[in-house]
Amino acid sequence: LFSNAVGAINRTFRPGDLMLATDHINWIGRRGLFTPDELVERRAGRRTASYYSPRLREALTQAARRAGVPLHHGTLMGGQGPTYETAAEVRMAAALGAHVACMSTVHEVTVAAELGCEAASLSCITNLATGLGTEPLTHDEVTVVADRGAVGLRKILEEFLREEAGR
C-alpha cells in the first residue's frame, strides 16, 4: 500500500479529500526504479493487466465505506518534482484524463506490480493544482492539509487491516 500527497486536477476534488488510484500516467520519464540491467536480472518490466490491484481497490473502497470516509477514485499523473506543475501542464494532464498530480508513487507502484506484488495507492489531496485556485501554492499549506487528511487515511487503513487480518 502506498500513500502520497497530491494536487487536485479534477475540479470537484477539494483539499483534505482522499483518492484511491485506479491507474496512473507516468510523466516522470522513466519506467520504474530499476536500471536496464537490473530489469533483465530480475525479469521485471513485464506487462501487467493493472498496476493497481482490483482486489485491494475493492477492499480499500469497502474499508472507506465502513469507516464513513468519502473516497474518490481516479488517475494519478506522476511528474518530476520537486516543483508544482505549471498551469499549462495541469490543463494538459486534465486533457489526458488525470485527476490528480504527484511527484512520487508511480515508480514504486510500477516496480511492485511488475515484480508480481499487489499494489494500491491512497492519495491525500492537499491543494488545487496550479491555475485552479486563486492563491499561490505553499508547502506550509500542503503540510497542514496533509495532517488533516491523515485522520481519514488512518480510519480507512485501520478498517482495511482489521478486515485483512480476519481474512
Side-chain angles (χ1 to χ4, degrees):
L1 296 177
F2 298 91
S3 65
N4 58 25
V6 298
I9 293 170
N10 181 310
R11 293 177 183 268
T12 66
F13 294 3
R14 293 287 167 250
D17 289 355
L18 299 175
M19 187 194 88
L20 179 65
T22 56
D23 204 349
H24 66 241
I25 298 168
N26 182 350
W27 203 253
I28 297 169
R30 291 188 49 183
R31 302 293 300 171
L33 299 171
F34 292 136
T35 67
D37 289 341
E38 289 171 326
L39 287 171
V40 170
E41 178 184 318
R42 290 173 173 81
R43 292 184 315 229
R46 62 182 173 270
R47 295 198 179 269
T48 63
S50 173
Y51 288 109
Y52 298 88
S53 163
R55 184 190 77 77
L56 289 179
R57 285 196 325 257
E58 180 60 26
L60 288 163
T61 298
Q62 294 305 320
R65 191 169 290 127
R66 287 191 307 274
V69 177
L71 184 63
H72 298 290
H73 292 76
T75 300
L76 291 168
M77 182 196 76
Q80 289 185 323
T83 61
Y84 297 111
E85 297 74 24
T86 67
E89 290 167 338
V90 169
R91 291 190 303 274
M92 176 204 62
L96 292 174
H99 294 92
V100 297
C102 66
M103 293 179 262
S104 64
T105 308
V106 170
H107 284 326
E108 293 89 343
V109 167
T110 299
V111 169
E114 289 181 350
L115 290 174
C117 300
E118 284 188 286
S121 177
L122 288 163
S123 301
C124 177
I125 298 162
T126 56
N127 56 279
L128 299 177
T130 304
L132 300 184
T134 57
E135 300 296 320
L137 300 176
T138 69
H139 182 69
D140 290 340
E141 179 184 350
V142 166
T143 302
V144 167
V145 175
D147 289 344
R148 194 172 72 227
V151 173
L153 181 61
R154 180 181 178 137
K155 289 178 182 179
I156 293 171
L157 292 175
E158 285 174 346
E159 281 295 324
F160 170 77
L161 292 171
R162 187 176 354 277
E163 189 69 23
E164 286 293 302
R167 223 174 70 130

